[in-house]
């Protein structure tokens, strides 16, 4: 019913706000909630027949006149009387036949277009899904309609149509009014010869009695539908008024009404709303025995199971019921009718017993017309209850959404402890559920699976006090021994929600327990318990409904998230503390001793010429350790980096010594000597020509020198492929270029280490810039990056003139120079080059051995120890594919770097000569083996002859 729904939504939008709560932790921790309690539009919603009700998925189609005022609709209908008459005739012709009715009497002024519109919608629903025992007579309606004049207003049309469609047959007068032959109590008088005396179901007979009222539609229906949800009281009052009204129409001795309620398992049960009492004596108590009540319940069960009306004219003779003598003496005729909702589901059952008829009130059976009248009234009541349910469900969903939002807001904020977080979340739902107590039980970590050994380590207990229109929530400090954990233990064992209520002589206790699960492990990590729901209408306690269960289950989900959040925060803090401790230990062990720092600081640094660091053929193998560090200091001094960037000399000495200690001495090649050689090659290129120092800024030169010294810090003697294949933490941490990222991070750690902060004299912007340049330079030493970018560099070098003003071009040049410095061992004099090649081969073969042992695979040729004899050939291939194109391009751009190219060419010639000699040796060995084989064969032949 869109009209009722719109009124419900308007009422909901105009209602007061949903309560919220805030937490104040203290000795008597208060969670204050300033809430104005609104009186619900519909009360007593425990009858809901769908515990998991969801809004309708299909949108309702708009009906005629929706969105228009009633006076506009009436004016349109008056102007189109032909259409109006044809419409009602067409609607009537679609209905099944019913007993012939008398012509429609004149309209009274009590009807209204608003009431009529609601009734018409109810009839439209009724006609689309007719019941099996309720029929309308289209012929009688047609005859009645023909007698109408064309100048009737729309209200008259609707009212007169409602008179026929509702099929009521008796004025709504009290049942004790005086009887006269001209005003029979029912359309079929028991004294009439038309009344069948058979106990079977009665067949329809004609009636000339008007609809429920004197010339108008049923006032009860009109007032019920016209008033909207705002006019209605509780569901019990609504059902009671329906029973009283239909009792006045049908004159039974007793009547009752029950509504269907479904539990979580989908089982339907009948919940009594109006007890079996005589009309007009609702306050005098029950006049029927338990046996009578059981019989009525069984009849209701049959109606619920079949979904069809049941009209018993002679109950004692019905073989379906075995009646005792006391039952048959009181219950003779029974009429049971189902109440259905919009989806034609049975939502309730009404039963009337022992129809009183005739002037003397003698007993009689219920007629088919009685059945039809009761069915029509129950259809309207079912429609109203359907809208009541929709309205109440929308209110509950709105409250639940607000509760979820408030809990999410609580979860998103930082809290001092897990208990405070749970307390605030529990305080959020208490005003919504009207619970007096909320307790969260937290199990012990060593909880056993047996019920006898289960225990809780602590509890979080909250209490709600209502002060008029406000409620105040306190967190009480309670020991686990002060609270009964019986139901929480049951929930912990069953891992299911528990909803129960107990009634005693003293009080009523209602309780819900819900487990809180860890989403990852599915273990129960806590139990939430709500106790004693306070009635909104009185001071009495009532049972928790399905909406309360859902709110508590929502709280359980958020509690689980809160626990995971707290655990994640705790884990993060613990790891952060662990990292800080590790860094502290690393800084202690990696930092050079004070004696070493002082010795280097006081040492007389030799000149660059005496150290031979200006020569491209520099070799660090023959230098003692102290001279290697002094050579590094000399590079920074000759490039004027110490002076330009105000570097503290002692900090520079400590930094150099710390970087030296950052390399692993057990790694054959990627150690401190390689770092020094790389830095010296970069230094030699920068000093050999003023062109490079003109192209690069002072910050770029500083970044290149720092990067070359740190580019292989803490190298493990294996490449990135091996680290990724073995799924080492470095691969998980960085994903790509794992070693290079690790080198940079360790470089950054040393630069930030106390006493080694050589960049402390830079401004914030320069410090940020130089760190970015260092990172780019170190990452460029990954040969994969070099292979990706060298084509662009070679193409750029082919241009006649390159300005190098673009940052992109300079970044490319810095990357290529970092690779040229890193691979400069191939340009060294032949004795040193051969020695370095053997060290590289040793490191590669060690990785190949690990791969063969761990992965059971054959390593690539460069790392396969079985191919050690092919080292010269592999060196030639390495020079041709990687080194030579780079040094040729660099020398073409900067002629002063040509010694790198010539050294590379000479070493290629030497390696090629070794390869040819090795091939000749292999051929000679092969020829010797062939000659010896032939000689042996000849000797064997001679022996045989």
């Amino acid at each position: 019913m869109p009209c009722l729904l719109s009124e419900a939504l308007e009422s909901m939008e105009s209602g007061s706000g949903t309560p919220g709560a805030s937490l104040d932790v203290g000795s008597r921790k208060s969670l204050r909630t300033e809430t104005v309690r609104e009186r619900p539009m519909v009360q007593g919603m425990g009858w809901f027949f769908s515990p998991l009700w969801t809004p309708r998925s299909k949108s309702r189609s708009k009906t005629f006149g929706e969105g228009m005022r009633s006076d506009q609709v009436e004016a349109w209908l008056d102007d189109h009387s032909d259409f109006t008459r044809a419409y009602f005739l067409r609607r009537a012709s679609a209905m099944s036949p019913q007993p012939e009715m008398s012509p429609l009497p004149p309209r009274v002024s009590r009807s209204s277009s608003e009431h009529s519109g609601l009734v018409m919608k109810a009839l439209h629903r009724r006609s689309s899904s007719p019941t099996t025992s309720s029929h309308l007579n289209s012929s009688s309606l047609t005859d009645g309609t023909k007698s109408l004049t064309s100048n009737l207003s729309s209200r008259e049309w609707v009212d007169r149509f409602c008179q026929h469609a509702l099929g009521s047959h008796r004025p709504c007068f009290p049942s004790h009014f005086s009887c006269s032959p001209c005003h029979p109590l029912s359309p079929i008088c028991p004294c009439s010869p038309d009344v069948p005396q058979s106990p079977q179901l009665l067949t329809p007979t004609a009636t000339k009695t008007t609809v429920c009222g004197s010339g108008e539609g049923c006032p009860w229906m009109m007032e019920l539908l016209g008033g909207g949800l705002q006019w209605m009281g509780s569901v019990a009052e609504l059902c009671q008024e329906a029973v009283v009204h239909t009792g006045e129409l049908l004159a039974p001795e007793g009547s009752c009404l029950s509504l269907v309620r479904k539990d979580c398992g989908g089982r339907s049960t009948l919940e009594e709303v109006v007890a079996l009492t005589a009309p007009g004596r609702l306050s005098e108590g029950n006049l029927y025995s338990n046996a009578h009540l059981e019989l009525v319940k069984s009849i209701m069960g049959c109606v619920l199971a079949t979904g069809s009306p049941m009209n018993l004219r002679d109950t004692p003779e019905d073989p379906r019921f075995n009646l005792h003598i006391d039952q048959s003496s009181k219950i003779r005729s029974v009429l049971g009718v189902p109440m259905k909702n919009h989806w034609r589901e049975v939502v309730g059952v009404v039963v009337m017993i022992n129809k009183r008829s005739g002037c003397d009130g003698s007993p009689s059976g219920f007629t088919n017309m009685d059945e039809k009248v009761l069915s029509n009234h129950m259809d309207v009541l079912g429609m109203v209850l359907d809208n009541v349910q929709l309205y109440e469900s929308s209110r509950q969903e709105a409250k639940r959404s607000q509760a979820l939002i408030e809990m999410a807001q609580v979860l998103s904020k930082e809290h001092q402890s897990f208990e405070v977080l749970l307390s605030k979340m529990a305080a959020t739902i208490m005003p919504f559920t009207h619970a007096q107590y909320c307790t969260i039980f937290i199990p012990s970590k060593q909880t056993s699976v047996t019920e006898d050994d289960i225990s809780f380590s602590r509890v979080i207990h909250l209490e709600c006090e209502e002060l008029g229109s406000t409620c105040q929530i306190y967190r009480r400090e309670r020991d686990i021994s002060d609270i009964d954990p019986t139901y929480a233990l049951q929930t912990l064992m069953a891992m299911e929600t528990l909803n129960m209520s107990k009634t005693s002589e003293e009080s009523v206790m209602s309780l819900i327990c819900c487990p809180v699960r860890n989403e990852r492990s599915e273990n129960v990590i806590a139990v939430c318990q709500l106790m004693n729901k306070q009635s909104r209408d009185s001071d009495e306690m009532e049972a928790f409904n399905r909406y309360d269960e859902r709110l508590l289950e929502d709280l359980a989900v958020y509690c689980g998230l809160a626990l995971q959040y707290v655990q994640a925060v705790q884990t993060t803090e613990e790891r952060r503390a662990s990292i800080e401790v590790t860094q502290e230990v690393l800084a202690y062990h990696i930092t050079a001793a004070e004696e070493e720092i002082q010795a280097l600081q006081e040492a007389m640094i030799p000149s660059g010429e005496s150290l031979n660091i200006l020569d491209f053929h520099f070799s660090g193998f023959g230098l003692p350790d102290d001279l290697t560090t002094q050579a590094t200091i000399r590079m920074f001094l000759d490039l004027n980096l110490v002076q330009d960037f105000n570097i503290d000399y002692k900090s520079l000495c400590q930094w150099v010594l710390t970087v030296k200690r950052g390399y692993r001495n057990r790694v054959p090649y990627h150690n401190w000597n390689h770092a020094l050689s790389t830095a010296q090659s970069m230094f030699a290129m920068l000093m050999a020509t003023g062109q490079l120092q003109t192209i690069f800024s002072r910050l770029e030169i500083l970044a290149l020198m720092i990067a070359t010294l740190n580019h292989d810090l803490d190298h493990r003697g294996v490449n990135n492929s091996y680290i990724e294949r073995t799924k080492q933490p470095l691969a998980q941490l960085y994903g790509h270029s794992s070693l290079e990222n690790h080198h940079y991070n360790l470089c950054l750690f040393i630069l930030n280490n106390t006493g080694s902060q050589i960049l402390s004299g830079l401004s914030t912007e320069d410090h940020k810039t130089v760190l970015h340049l260092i990172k780019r330079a170190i990452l460029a030493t990954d040969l994969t990056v070099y292979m990706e970018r060298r084509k662009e560099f070679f193409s750029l070098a082919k241009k006649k003139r390159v300005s190098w003003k673009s940052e992109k071009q300079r970044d490319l040049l810095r990357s290529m120079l970092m690779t040229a410095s890193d691979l400069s061992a191939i340009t060294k004099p032949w004795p040193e080059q051969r020695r370095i090649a053997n060290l590289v081969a040793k490191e590669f073969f060690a990785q190949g051995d690990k791969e063969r042992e761990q992965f059971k695979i054959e390593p690539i040729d460069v790392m396969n120890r079985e191919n050690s004899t092919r080292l010269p050939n592999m060196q030639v291939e390495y020079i041709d594919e990687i080194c030579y194109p780079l040094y040729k391009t660099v020398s073409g751009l900067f002629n002063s770097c040509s010694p790198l190219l010539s050294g590379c060419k000479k070493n290629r010639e030497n390696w090629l000569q070794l390869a040819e000699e090795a091939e000749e040796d292999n051929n000679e060995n092969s020829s010797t083996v062939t000659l010896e084989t032939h000689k042996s064969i000849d000797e064997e032949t001679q022996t045989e002859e």
Side-chain angles (χ1 to χ4, degrees):
M1 292 295 293
C3 296
L4 289 179
L5 178 58
S6 62
E7 292 178 6
L9 294 177
E10 292 174 359
S11 173
M12 182 175 61
E13 292 174 356
S14 62
S16 61
T18 315
S22 61
L23 177 63
D24 180 19
V25 181
S27 58
R28 189 171 185 261
K29 297 172 179 135
S30 172
L31 296 83
R32 297 182 179 275
T33 304
E34 297 297 332
T35 306
V36 178
R37 289 287 179 82
E38 59 170 331
R39 181 175 178 84
M41 299 301 176
V42 181
Q43 307 165 11
M45 301 309 297
W47 61 275
F48 273 1
F49 16 91
S50 179
L52 297 175
W53 183 90
T54 55
R56 301 188 178 113
S57 58
K58 297 182 179 180
S59 60
R60 298 172 182 249
S61 59
K62 291 189 176 181
T63 58
F64 173 75
E66 185 173 349
M68 302 174 62
R69 298 196 309 270
S70 60
D71 55 348
Q72 293 177 328
V73 177
E74 292 180 18
W76 190 92
L77 292 177
D78 290 339
D79 294 339
H80 302 77
S81 58
D82 294 338
F83 168 80
T84 307
R85 182 184 297 103
Y87 173 77
F88 285 118
L89 290 176
R90 183 171 66 255
R91 298 303 300 165
S93 62
M95 301 179 182
S96 302
Q98 72 166 17
E100 184 179 356
M101 296 184 180
S102 60
L104 296 177
R107 184 187 67 86
V108 295
S109 60
R110 182 171 179 172
S111 301
S112 65
S113 60
E114 290 84 355
H115 295 174
S116 304
L118 293 173
V119 176
M120 285 303 301
K121 292 174 184 177
L123 293 174
H124 176 69
R125 270 184 25 189
R126 174 73 179 164
S127 61
S128 61
S129 302
T131 57
T132 57
S133 60
S134 298
H135 306 286
L136 298 176
N137 193 331
S138 60
S139 62
S140 62
L141 182 61
T142 304
D143 295 340
T145 308
K146 289 179 180 178
S147 63
L148 299 176
T149 58
S150 60
N151 58 353
L152 288 177
S153 66
S154 61
R155 291 189 179 183
E156 294 171 335
W157 274 108
V158 174
D159 288 344
R160 296 199 175 189
F161 181 78
C162 291
Q163 287 178 332
H164 284 276
L166 290 174
S168 185
H169 59 284
R170 162 167 193 230
C172 292
F173 298 146
S175 59
H176 51 77
F177 77 101
S178 59
C179 175
S180 78
C182 299
H183 299 83
L185 290 173
S186 67
I188 306 176
C189 181
C191 302
S192 170
D194 296 335
V195 179
Q197 301 300 323
S198 171
Q200 303 298 325
L201 295 178
L202 300 179
T203 57
T205 56
T207 177
K208 296 185 179 181
T209 307
T210 61
V211 187
C212 179
S214 178
E216 61 178 358
C218 175
W220 175 79
M221 293 185 184
M222 294 296 186
E223 294 178 3
L224 180 64
L225 296 176
L229 295 177
Q230 296 176 346
W231 173 84
M232 298 176 189
S234 66
V235 173
E237 293 173 355
L238 189 63
C239 295
Q240 182 174 302
E241 291 174 0
V243 171
V244 171
H245 176 69
T246 53
E248 293 174 350
L249 297 178
L250 305 185
E253 289 184 357
S255 56
C256 62
L257 186 146
S258 297
L259 294 175
V260 176
R261 182 171 187 173
K262 289 185 179 180
D263 56 17
C264 298
R267 296 181 297 272
S268 299
T269 57
L270 287 171
E271 182 176 314
E272 186 180 77
V273 178
V274 180
L276 181 60
T277 52
R281 302 179 182 178
L282 297 177
S283 61
E284 297 181 8
N286 196 348
L287 303 178
Y288 298 91
S289 64
N290 292 333
H292 295 97
L293 298 179
E294 292 298 326
L295 174 60
V296 172
K297 287 183 180 179
S298 62
I299 294 174
M300 282 186 167
C302 292
V303 176
L304 174 62
T306 60
S308 302
M310 178 177 291
N311 192 344
L312 306 177
R313 287 297 309 273
D314 194 351
T315 306
E317 298 297 329
D318 195 298
R320 290 174 291 181
F321 305 100
N322 297 322
L323 305 182
H324 299 288
I325 298 177
D326 59 339
Q327 291 177 321
S328 60
S329 62
K330 280 194 175 184
I331 298 182
R332 297 173 301 279
S333 60
V334 178
L335 174 61
V337 173
M339 181 194 312
K340 298 185 179 181
N341 61 8
H342 175 78
W343 299 278
R344 310 309 299 167
E345 298 172 345
V346 179
V347 298
V349 177
V350 62
V351 170
M352 294 190 173
I353 62 175
N354 297 345
K355 177 180 178 66
R356 291 181 287 108
S357 183
C359 300
D360 56 351
S362 58
S364 173
F366 292 97
T367 65
N368 281 4
M369 184 59 68
D370 296 332
E371 178 184 329
K372 175 187 172 302
V373 170
L374 187 57
S375 296
N376 285 337
H377 281 76
M378 291 302 105
D379 279 351
V380 174
L381 181 60
M383 176 188 64
V384 172
L385 293 182
D386 196 16
N387 282 275
V388 168
Q389 179 189 9
L390 176 63
Y391 171 63
E392 182 65 17
S393 298
S394 64
R395 291 179 65 252
Q396 295 289 348
E397 288 298 324
K399 290 166 56 179
R400 177 172 176 263
S401 299
Q402 183 174 348
L404 293 178
I405 292 174
E406 292 183 7
M407 283 192 287
Q409 291 174 347
V410 171
L411 184 60
S412 63
K413 298 178 181 178
E414 294 184 2
H415 303 280
Q416 300 175 353
S417 65
F418 179 55
E419 287 78 5
V420 174
L421 176 59
L422 292 186
S423 300
K424 289 184 177 181
M425 296 180 65
T428 302
I429 71 163
M430 288 185 69
F432 293 97
T433 58
H434 304 280
Q436 187 177 4
Y437 305 106
C438 178
T439 308
I440 300 177
F441 297 85
I442 301 177
S444 303
K445 292 184 179 180
Q446 294 80 16
T447 297
S448 175
V449 294
T450 60
E451 187 172 1
D452 296 336
D453 298 333
I454 290 181
S455 61
F456 295 105
S457 60
R458 61 187 187 276
V459 295
I460 301 173
H461 184 72
L462 287 83
E463 297 182 6
C464 178
E465 293 183 5
E466 295 196 8
L467 304 173
S469 60
T470 65
C471 66
Q472 193 164 1
I473 301 174
Y474 300 96
R475 179 184 169 189
R476 309 285 191 182
E477 294 294 342
R478 294 292 181 88
D479 189 75
I480 184 63
S481 59
D482 299 334
I483 300 176
D484 183 12
T486 304
Y487 303 107
L489 290 174
Q490 294 180 12
T491 303
L492 183 61
M493 288 295 297
M495 300 179 66
E496 294 179 353
T497 302
L498 173 65
N499 188 350
M500 59 163 294
S501 60
K502 277 187 176 182
T503 304
S504 62
E505 297 180 357
E506 299 178 355
S507 62
V508 177
M509 183 192 75
S510 54
L511 178 140
I512 304 180
C513 281
C514 180
V516 179
R517 292 184 175 87
N518 188 334
E519 295 296 333
R520 296 180 180 178
S521 62
E522 290 296 326
N523 295 329
V524 177
I525 55 180
V527 176
C528 295
Q529 175 179 290
L530 294 179
M531 185 180 293
N532 292 354
K533 180 176 182 177
Q534 298 171 328
S535 175
R536 293 176 290 182
D537 306 323
S538 63
D539 295 335
E540 298 179 356
M541 300 295 172
E542 61 182 27
F544 290 100
N545 55 33
R546 179 54 183 154
Y547 288 103
D548 300 326
E549 290 184 25
R550 293 181 64 185
L551 275 176
L552 187 61
E553 290 169 354
D554 294 334
L555 173 64
V557 172
Y558 275 87
C559 287
L561 293 175
L563 181 61
Q564 293 184 17
Y565 167 76
V566 171
Q567 289 176 344
V569 171
Q570 291 177 350
T571 302
T572 303
E573 294 298 329
E574 291 174 359
R575 290 180 178 177
R576 184 181 302 171
S578 176
I579 290 174
E580 291 178 357
V581 172
T582 303
Q583 289 179 345
E584 182 182 351
V585 174
L586 176 62
Y588 174 79
H589 288 283
I590 202 174
T591 303
E594 188 65 30
E595 294 78 9
E596 293 182 72
I597 299 173
Q598 186 175 358
L600 180 59
Q601 183 181 1
E602 296 175 353
M604 182 65 68
I605 305 299
S607 63
E609 291 78 5
S610 61
L611 291 172
N612 201 30
I613 57 177
L614 294 172
D615 191 353
F616 284 102
H617 297 156
F618 168 82
S619 174
F621 285 109
L623 291 179
D625 283 348
D626 56 345
L627 285 182
T628 59
T629 55
Q630 292 177 17
T632 306
I633 298 293
R634 172 52 63 188
M635 296 178 198
F636 276 76
L637 291 174
D638 289 357
L639 286 171
N640 294 323
L641 299 177
V642 178
Q643 300 88 336
D644 292 347
F645 297 104
N646 194 24
I647 300 176
D648 180 71
Y649 190 72
K650 181 180 180 181
S651 298
L652 178 63
C653 296
Q654 179 176 330
W655 176 77
V656 171
L657 292 171
T658 303
V659 170
K660 177 177 178 292
R661 293 171 66 92
Y663 283 90
R664 302 190 180 192
N665 295 327
R666 294 182 180 180
V667 177
Y669 173 67
H670 291 95
N671 49 36
W672 167 246
N673 286 329
H674 169 63
L676 177 63
S677 176
T678 304
Q680 185 275 330
S681 297
M682 179 65 71
F683 172 76
M685 285 189 289
L686 291 173
M687 295 295 291
T689 176
Q691 188 178 1
L692 284 176
Q693 296 196 41
T694 304
I695 293 173
F696 296 131
S697 67
R698 301 300 295 165
L699 277 178
E700 289 176 300
I701 295 175
L702 175 64
L704 287 173
M705 292 305 299
I706 294 175
T708 50
L709 277 173
N710 292 269
H711 81 284
D712 274 333
L713 268 176
D714 194 41
H715 199 289
R716 284 90 188 282
V718 293
N719 58 13
N720 285 324
S721 176
Y722 179 82
I723 289 176
E724 293 172 2
R725 188 177 300 176
T726 54
K727 298 180 180 181
Q728 295 184 14
L730 284 180
Q732 298 176 359
L733 187 60
Y734 302 113
H736 66 90
S737 299
S738 303
L739 281 172
E740 288 72 24
N741 278 288
H742 176 60
H743 302 328
Y744 167 73
N745 283 333
L746 193 55
C747 167
L748 189 62
F749 172 76
I750 295 175
L751 286 173
N752 293 328
N753 190 24
T754 303
S756 302
Q757 300 170 337
I758 62 174
L759 302 179
S760 60
L762 299 179
S763 65
T764 304
E765 188 65 27
D766 289 346
H767 188 272
K768 181 179 179 181
T769 301
V770 76
L771 290 182
H772 173 72
L773 295 173
I774 293 171
K775 182 175 183 180
R776 293 283 299 174
I778 292 178
L779 293 181
T781 58
D782 186 353
L783 282 181
T784 304
V785 177
Y786 161 70
M787 298 301 290
E788 292 174 355
R789 304 191 66 182
R790 71 173 186 170
K791 184 177 181 181
E792 180 184 0
F793 179 68
F794 295 161
S795 300
L796 183 65
K798 292 179 181 179
K799 296 181 179 181
K800 293 183 179 180
R801 297 183 64 182
V802 183
S803 63
W804 305 108
K805 293 181 179 179
S806 169
E807 169 59 27
K808 182 178 179 181
Q809 293 178 349
R810 293 203 311 277
D811 178 68
L812 183 61
L813 178 59
R814 291 194 301 268
S815 298
M816 294 300 110
L817 293 182
M818 285 295 298
T819 304
S821 301
D822 190 19
L823 305 181
S824 62
I826 201 68
T827 67
K828 300 299 179 181
W830 172 244
E832 184 172 348
Q833 155 59 202
R834 190 167 185 178
R835 179 180 179 183
I836 293 175
N838 290 329
L839 293 175
V840 174
K842 182 180 179 181
E843 187 174 306
F844 282 0
F845 291 158
Q847 177 178 331
D849 295 341
K850 294 178 181 178
E851 291 179 351
R852 182 182 285 107
E853 181 181 355
Q854 293 182 11
F855 307 122
K856 310 300 180 184
I857 61 173
E858 195 69 15
I860 61 176
D861 292 341
V862 179
M863 299 183 179
N864 194 344
R865 193 179 296 275
E866 297 176 359
N867 293 334
S868 59
T869 57
R870 293 192 65 252
L871 179 61
N873 299 82
M874 290 186 291
Q875 284 294 101
V876 173
E877 294 174 359
Y878 168 68
I879 293 173
D880 291 344
E881 295 177 4
I882 296 177
C883 302
Y884 180 78
L886 175 62
Y887 291 118
K888 179 181 179 181
T889 305
V890 172
S891 299
L893 288 172
F894 310 104
N895 187 49
S896 57
C897 297
S898 57
L900 295 174
L901 178 61
S902 11
C904 181
K905 287 181 179 179
K906 292 179 181 179
N907 289 326
R908 182 185 185 280
E909 294 173 359
N910 294 328
W911 284 116
L912 183 61
Q913 183 179 356
L914 287 179
E916 292 174 352
E917 293 176 357
E919 187 175 355
E920 291 176 359
D921 291 342
N922 291 335
N923 291 335
E924 291 178 359
N925 293 334
S926 176
S927 301
T928 302
V929 171
T930 303
L931 291 174
E932 290 179 353
T933 302
H934 289 169
K935 182 177 180 181
S936 177
I937 293 174
D938 293 340
E939 292 177 354
E940 290 178 0
T941 303
Q942 294 175 0
T943 303
E944 290 178 356
E945 292 176 353

